[in-house]
Amino acid sequence: MVEIVQATRRHPLQAGQLDVASVSVTLADNATRISLRARDNAVSALSKALGITLPMKPKTSASNGGRAVLWLGPDEWLIIDNADSAVVADLAKAKVLNSAVDISHRNVGIIVAGKGADAVVNGGCPQDLSLKAFPVGAASRTVLGKIEIVLWRTGEDVFRVECWRSFSNYAYAFLQESARDVAI
Amino acid sequence: MLLIKCPYCEEERPELEFRNAGEAHLVRANPIIEQSDDDFAGFLYFRQNPKGLQFERWRHIHGCGRFFNAVRDSVSDKFLTVYKAGDPRPDIDTLLSPAAAEPEPPATKRPRAKKVEV
Ligand SMILES: [Zn+2]
């Protein structure tokens, strides 16, 4: 007797209904975000104002409480903090040449957490996400499918994906689809 | 997928994060007003596009955002070296000498796709 296997048909607008237990794709809380650009000679003053030493090594981040600074480029950082953060006022105290742009509403954060979270992100991100190459705390601008994201590993099985808000529907649906593929 | 080393990120990254940005080491004449039309047209339009080794600009656009230069073989796609923008043009003969050639990683050390435990 031949067994006929019928693929389950999914509605394309089913994002948000991830019926998977092993890994979750959820929205991050609203946050304050700053795009910070500065030259080497301003780094120490900015670090002091922020209360965090700006990371200078590629693909790294530094954090203090709820406030985190992600290295994006040799003169570029992304600061993520709680929604009610005083980071803008803190940065204003540094009297050195820098550019701090509030991009809180430009980005949307998505949290991928659980078993196989790395495989979920790898469904659309070509970087090596093994713990050796991308340890806890690692952060990088990269790609997910056809969009650009900032990826930050906050735990062994936890990733924060930051994307621009107009791409957020795409990123959210993409990650959910990927999660269905790697789910137990 | 090609892995391209970014001299600013100091590691190899997937080619999807990069954009090619044309021929490297094009210098704008100064003062440009004294340049002949033919020379200016050469600067603006005419590229070498050689078959073989070429000096190229690349941008790690979906990474650190930086422009850098690379020596690439346009036939094999092999990158001989990458270097930061502003650094002098490396000597091709030195790059091609056997001493400079990086040893191929042994087969067992080649990075393998991680098997996901599910
Ligand atoms: Zn880079």
Side-chain angles (χ1 to χ4, degrees):
Chain A
M1 179 84 184
V2 178
E3 195 189 345
I4 297 170
V5 180
Q6 202 93 45
T8 320
R9 187 171 161 184
R10 286 199 167 274
H11 195 278
L13 305 179
Q14 252 173 350
Q17 299 171 28
L18 183 63
D19 40 9
V20 160
S22 54
V23 62
S24 65
V25 179
T26 52
L27 304 182
D29 288 339
N30 287 337
T32 303
R33 301 173 177 89
I34 304 287
S35 168
L36 179 67
R37 307 288 305 257
R39 296 219 167 107
D40 283 355
N41 56 12
V43 165
S44 64
L46 290 167
S47 299
K48 216 174 133 196
L50 277 171
I52 302 176
T53 306
L54 293 184
M56 299 300 283
K57 263 188 65 173
K59 226 167 75 172
T60 60
S61 69
S63 57
N64 183 0
R67 183 178 292 183
V69 184
L70 283 52
W71 186 98
L72 292 188
D75 62 357
E76 184 180 4
W77 296 267
L78 172 65
I79 304 172
I80 302 178
D81 202 350
N82 303 322
D84 56 356
S85 162
V87 65
V88 177
D90 288 350
L91 279 169
K93 287 178 204 147
K95 301 295 178 207
V96 287
L97 180 65
N98 71 90
S99 152
V101 180
D102 190 330
I103 53 161
S104 303
H105 296 247
R106 189 194 73 181
N107 282 20
V108 170
I110 301 172
I111 310 287
V112 183
K115 205 167 166 54
D118 53 347
V120 174
V121 178
N122 266 153
C125 173
Q127 275 207 35
D128 181 354
L129 298 182
S130 65
L131 277 166
K132 192 163 167 278
F134 207 92
V136 176
S140 165
R141 186 157 44 203
T142 180
V143 291
L144 177 81
K146 58 183 177 183
I147 63 167
E148 180 179 287
I149 58 164
V150 171
L151 184 65
W152 178 27
R153 186 177 216 146
T154 53
E156 271 196 32
D157 280 329
V158 189
F159 289 87
R160 184 186 180 107
V161 174
E162 285 269 319
C163 66
W164 289 22
R165 60 175 296 136
S166 56
F167 297 137
S168 58
N169 277 324
Y170 173 83
Y172 191 48
F174 192 108
L175 290 166
Q176 301 234 349
E177 208 55 61
S178 186
R180 283 190 193 100
D181 284 348
V182 305
I184 297 167
Chain B
M1 191 179 300
L2 275 180
L3 293 175
I4 302 172
K5 183 174 176 181
C6 169
Y8 295 95
C9 292
E10 297 162 357
E11 67 171 11
E12 288 185 331
R13 292 287 192 84
E15 63 172 302
L16 294 181
E17 293 186 359
F18 296 85
R19 271 307 145 72
N20 181 288
E23 192 176 319
H25 300 292
L26 296 174
V27 181
R28 192 175 192 268
N30 184 31
I32 203 163
I33 192 89
E34 287 170 14
Q35 198 174 28
S36 72
D37 286 354
D38 280 353
D39 286 348
F40 182 71
F43 161 74
L44 192 60
Y45 298 117
F46 298 113
R47 297 295 170 258
Q48 302 296 322
N49 196 23
K51 184 177 181 181
L53 291 183
Q54 56 187 9
F55 295 88
E56 296 176 322
R57 289 165 82 226
W58 281 78
R59 188 177 181 201
H60 194 188
I61 185 164
H62 300 305
C64 63
R66 285 299 168 115
F67 282 92
F68 61 93
N69 293 333
V71 183
R72 185 178 65 99
D73 190 318
S74 61
V75 178
S76 67
D77 250 356
K78 184 181 164 65
F79 282 75
L80 260 72
T81 190
V82 294
Y83 50 105
K84 292 183 177 178
D87 284 0
R89 190 189 289 250
D91 182 49
I92 292 275
D93 293 334
T94 320
L95 283 173
L96 287 175
S97 75
E102 280 180 52
E104 287 282 313
T108 49
K109 278 202 155 179
R110 227 170 260 274
R112 300 229 302 274
K114 194 186 167 197
K115 191 163 179 276
V116 182
E117 291 162 358
V118 289

